[in-house]
Amino acid sequence: MSQITKQNMNGTCIEIEILNEKLIKPSLPNPNHLNSYKLSFFDQIAPNFAVPLLYFYPPIPPENSQLQSAESVHKRLQNSLSEVLTKFYPLAGRLSEDGTSIECHDQGVVYLEAKVNCQLNEFLDKAYKDTDLVKLFVPPIRIRLAELPSRPMMAIQVTMFEHGGLALAVQMVHTLGDGFSGCAVTDEWAKVSRMEKGNTRNLQFRSDLEKVFPPKDNIFEMIKKGRPRGYEMKIATRIFMFDEGAISKLKENVNKSLSYSSRVEVVTALIWRSLMRVVRLRHGHNRPSMLQFAINLRGRGSTTLVGEDQNFFGNFYLDIPIKYMPSHSNQDPELHEIVTLIREAKNKILSNIANASSEEIFSILIESLNQIREGYNDDEIDLYPTSSLCKFPLNECDFGWAKPIWVSRVNVPFQMFFLMDSKNGIEARVCLNEDDMINLVKDVDIVEFSYVPE
């Protein structure tokens, strides 16, 4: 097959050509008693789209003689992926017609072999500023939930750069797993590829989660309608880097009032406060603001309900609403006040979750989601979804020749910001309406504590 995707890169036309498409199936047949994987209520309410992550790798060194051709690299990746799929067999399945389970008959994961007409360093020189470029490396296969069951649950694209280096795009339907699951599966795939035994993240697969968190009939009738802001706007995306020196300064400032603050807390608080200031410039006064804040629940659920080992594949996270109500029309909140607001909201939810029954957790889930949907529909409040992949071992994902030199997410068509670990700090990808982005890049805190990588 041959499919070409083009995009202008500062006057140069970058072309990605799909050379081959394969279905990678588990290395061992799935046993009959595992032919149907039932979804939990966490899976039911997960977003109905795929979440891509992109890993960019340097050229393979000459001393690695077994991987000096594209064919040998693809063979290594495909064989190790096949082995991993035996453990995480629903990834190779298809959604059932009624949408309540994954039919696991080893249908396979899509694997695309591709090449691009530029060098890796040329691409990276532009990708931080032209943030849309990374989407070229995402598999051109729509795997939204609405188009299943005919679509795969996972798609991989491996793109070779001229003169060495490659991009690995991993795209998994959110219905099957959250960010933790996607990162951990890729981490295990890399470990198998480099022929190491064991599993650094100790990711478990459980087929009984639908009994722990049983699916609900008519669940979508319990959830209010609404979607994030920005679909009707022109969205601009910028990447801001916070190095460890800047993060230490922020923590030192916050810790004058608090005994402790985390890296993610201070960077999240700073970006949120800067977004509040941008809104004040537009409206002339402070407005209520809300974060849709994602929490990984692993290690935080009742051991009686969930068990001791909670590092399992699937969806086990909660989006919580964190609302800021301004007390002054034109004054900024202190950074430690925002950190405290985030922490108290998070701790309150986690305290409620800690010893909750399955039904109680479901009630918390629906209540939180409905408060967020109310925020989507309230023109008097500014709402920003945010999520963090910090502390996930993305930058350690070595398939046998090197660790990635950059790991990236893709832009979204609504207002949101993502945090990820960089080589020397935290990378924030901020998607914001175009007019507000003009002011955000000039915001005093953004200018002082972050930089746009060259």
Side-chain angles (χ1 to χ4, degrees):
M1 66 174 297
S2 181
Q3 178 180 340
I4 297 177
T5 306
K6 301 180 181 181
Q7 185 166 327
N8 187 280
M9 184 173 71
N10 286 4
T12 302
C13 182
I14 180 173
E15 293 185 358
I16 291 183
E17 182 178 1
I18 306 296
L19 303 172
N20 196 12
E21 177 179 334
K22 296 182 177 180
L23 279 174
I24 307 300
K25 301 186 178 185
S27 58
L28 296 174
N30 197 40
N32 290 335
H33 70 281
L34 296 178
N35 278 346
S36 183
Y37 174 78
K38 302 295 184 183
L39 300 179
S40 72
F41 60 66
F42 279 103
D43 299 328
Q44 284 181 294
I45 58 96
N48 68 338
F49 51 75
V51 183
L53 267 177
L54 296 103
Y55 302 77
F56 293 88
Y57 289 92
I60 296 172
E63 57 268 25
N64 197 331
S65 58
Q66 293 181 331
L67 296 174
Q68 287 306 303
S69 68
E71 181 182 2
S72 61
V73 173
H74 288 306
K75 185 176 180 181
R76 167 79 69 86
L77 293 173
Q78 291 168 10
N79 288 344
S80 51
L81 176 60
S82 178
E83 188 174 336
V84 169
L85 290 176
T86 300
K87 180 177 181 180
F88 303 104
Y89 59 89
L91 288 170
R94 299 292 184 268
L95 188 72
S96 64
E97 290 287 351
D98 63 7
T100 64
S101 64
I102 309 299
E103 299 308 309
C104 306
H105 302 291
D106 301 330
Q107 294 95 324
V109 164
V110 170
Y111 183 102
L112 301 176
E113 301 174 6
K115 68 177 182 178
V116 61
N117 67 335
C118 71
Q119 296 183 35
L120 176 60
N121 60 347
E122 293 175 334
F123 168 77
L124 293 176
D125 284 345
K126 306 292 189 300
Y128 285 103
K129 290 188 176 179
D130 189 351
T131 58
D132 265 338
L133 285 176
V134 293
K135 73 181 181 183
L136 283 172
F137 297 87
V138 175
I141 297 173
R142 290 176 61 85
I143 50 178
R144 290 177 64 89
L145 186 63
E147 297 167 343
L148 303 173
S150 60
R151 300 291 187 176
M153 306 302 290
M154 188 178 192
I156 309 292
Q157 180 172 317
V158 179
T159 307
M160 301 294 177
F161 285 91
E162 292 181 345
H163 306 303
L166 64 86
L168 170 66
V170 180
Q171 185 171 235
M172 182 178 78
V173 174
H174 209 319
T175 305
L176 259 185
D178 51 22
F180 174 93
S181 298
C183 295
V185 166
T186 307
D187 189 45
E188 180 151 324
W189 176 19
K191 199 170 186 68
V192 172
S193 176
R194 62 181 187 263
M195 293 177 281
E196 292 184 14
K197 294 182 179 180
N199 179 1
T200 47
R201 289 188 67 79
N202 194 29
L203 181 65
Q204 303 300 314
F205 182 81
R206 294 175 55 174
S207 59
D208 65 338
L209 290 179
E210 94 284 356
K211 296 176 182 175
V212 181
F213 306 116
K216 304 294 182 181
D217 295 333
N218 306 318
I219 188 171
F220 296 107
E221 295 177 9
M222 308 176 198
I223 302 171
K224 296 181 179 180
K225 304 294 184 183
R227 63 179 186 172
R229 306 278 172 80
Y231 285 98
E232 72 287 354
M233 306 173 185
K234 189 168 184 181
I235 296 294
T237 301
R238 297 291 291 269
I239 294 174
F240 301 99
M241 305 294 286
F242 295 82
D243 64 31
E244 292 297 351
I247 294 171
S248 294
K249 288 181 182 178
L250 288 170
K251 292 181 66 175
E252 183 180 346
N253 177 23
V254 169
N255 291 348
K256 292 175 182 177
S257 302
L258 301 175
S259 60
Y260 169 79
S261 57
S262 73
R263 299 162 69 247
V264 170
E265 284 176 335
V266 296
V267 172
T268 299
L270 182 135
I271 294 173
W272 191 14
R273 185 172 69 175
S274 296
L275 291 169
M276 293 178 198
R277 270 201 292 261
V278 166
V279 168
R280 188 170 71 217
L281 283 173
R282 177 156 42 92
H283 288 275
H285 58 85
N286 284 329
R287 281 165 48 96
S289 190
M290 182 184 290
L291 282 189
Q292 177 182 335
F293 191 87
I295 303 176
N296 179 10
L297 296 179
R298 290 167 180 84
R300 287 147 167 178
S302 165
T303 56
T304 303
L305 176 67
V306 189
E308 293 287 346
D309 188 351
Q310 299 183 13
N311 281 354
F312 51 77
F313 177 86
N315 286 291
F316 193 38
Y317 77 99
L318 180 65
D319 282 332
I320 67 168
I322 306 177
K323 191 171 184 179
Y324 171 76
M325 294 299 295
S327 55
H328 302 281
S329 63
N330 55 11
Q331 292 182 14
D332 291 336
E334 295 292 335
L335 204 60
H336 70 85
E337 294 175 337
I338 302 179
V339 170
T340 300
L341 182 65
I342 293 171
R343 185 178 299 173
E344 287 180 349
K346 179 178 168 183
N347 288 345
K348 180 181 178 182
I349 286 288
L350 292 179
S351 175
N352 292 338
I353 290 283
N355 296 302
S357 67
S358 178
E359 282 302 313
E360 289 168 338
I361 290 175
F362 179 72
S363 296
I364 293 169
L365 186 70
I366 296 300
E367 181 181 357
S368 295
L369 189 53
N370 280 333
Q371 288 180 25
I372 290 166
R373 295 290 175 87
E374 288 172 4
Y376 288 166
N377 297 320
D378 186 349
D379 291 336
E380 298 303 314
I381 189 169
D382 303 290
L383 191 149
Y384 306 97
T386 182
S387 70
S388 168
L389 292 180
C390 292
K391 292 190 176 180
F392 288 45
L394 303 176
N395 294 304
E396 304 298 315
C397 204
D398 181 357
F399 282 83
W401 60 90
K403 295 177 181 179
I405 54 179
W406 187 40
V407 182
S408 176
R409 299 187 71 159
V410 297
N411 300 344
V412 294
F414 51 85
Q415 299 193 127
M416 181 173 187
F417 63 94
F418 308 96
L419 303 184
M420 298 173 65
D421 286 323
S422 66
K423 296 293 186 182
N424 183 37
I426 290 178
E427 174 183 309
R429 180 177 292 257
V430 182
C431 304
L432 190 64
N433 84 72
E434 199 172 53
D435 293 336
D436 283 352
M437 184 62 81
I438 293 171
N439 289 317
L440 182 67
V441 297
K442 299 183 290 187
D443 178 81
V444 59
D445 283 343
I446 295 295
V447 170
E448 180 177 357
F449 292 100
S450 77
Y451 65 93
V452 176
E454 298 295 335

